[in-house]
Amino acid sequence: EVHLVESGGGTVQAGGSLRLSCVVGGFSNDDYAVGWFRQAPGKEREGIASISRSDGFTEYADSMKDRFIIFRDDAKNTVYLQLISLKLEDTAVYYCAAYIEAIRGAGLGLPVHYDYWGQGTQVTVSS
């Protein structure tokens, strides 16, 4: 069974950094892409970045690329999201999600393109 589990959220002072983790399992031999999204109260879910398993291709949303870094550790079956220079408006629930690359190819895309989702982890940025 496919599963994704996020961790690493918490409360961080503005200007600080945080690293989120997404442990992925259940895909067997399929190449899959993992994306990070976030959703703040009253806001739509927005994409941050994605990374593919096949070749490590990454894509960032234009508004996110300066302060977010996505990378993976295949030995740990984990995809990370590094958040830097955090701002109050970064407060949100952060989700990781996945899809099989053979179905739609690599790329961040939209939330609707992702078939599997984690439960989310709360990031709160304080002043």
Side-chain angles (χ1 to χ4, degrees), residues 74-95:
D74 290 338
K76 298 180 179 180
N77 299 118
T78 302
V79 176
Y80 300 92
L81 182 70
Q82 184 73 38
L83 298 77
I84 62 175
S85 300
L86 285 164
K87 304 175 181 179
L88 293 177
E89 54 263 39
D90 292 322
T91 295
V93 178
Y94 285 71
Y95 299 90

Side-chain angles (χ1 to χ4, degrees), residues 34-48:
V34 173
W36 281 96
F37 298 79
R38 71 181 186 184
Q39 187 165 21
K43 298 283 189 176
E44 294 185 351
R45 188 166 298 186
E46 58 181 345
I48 301 171

Side-chain angles (χ1 to χ4, degrees), residues 93-112:
V93 178
Y94 285 71
Y95 299 90
C96 65
Y99 66 88
I100 298 175
E101 293 182 24
I103 296 177
R104 62 169 290 267
L108 176 58
L110 301 172
V112 70

Side-chain angles (χ1 to χ4, degrees), residues 38-60:
R38 71 181 186 184
Q39 187 165 21
K43 298 283 189 176
E44 294 185 351
R45 188 166 298 186
E46 58 181 345
I48 301 171
S50 67
I51 187 168
S52 67
R53 178 181 173 183
S54 60
D55 59 2
F57 173 81
T58 60
E59 183 177 356
Y60 293 84

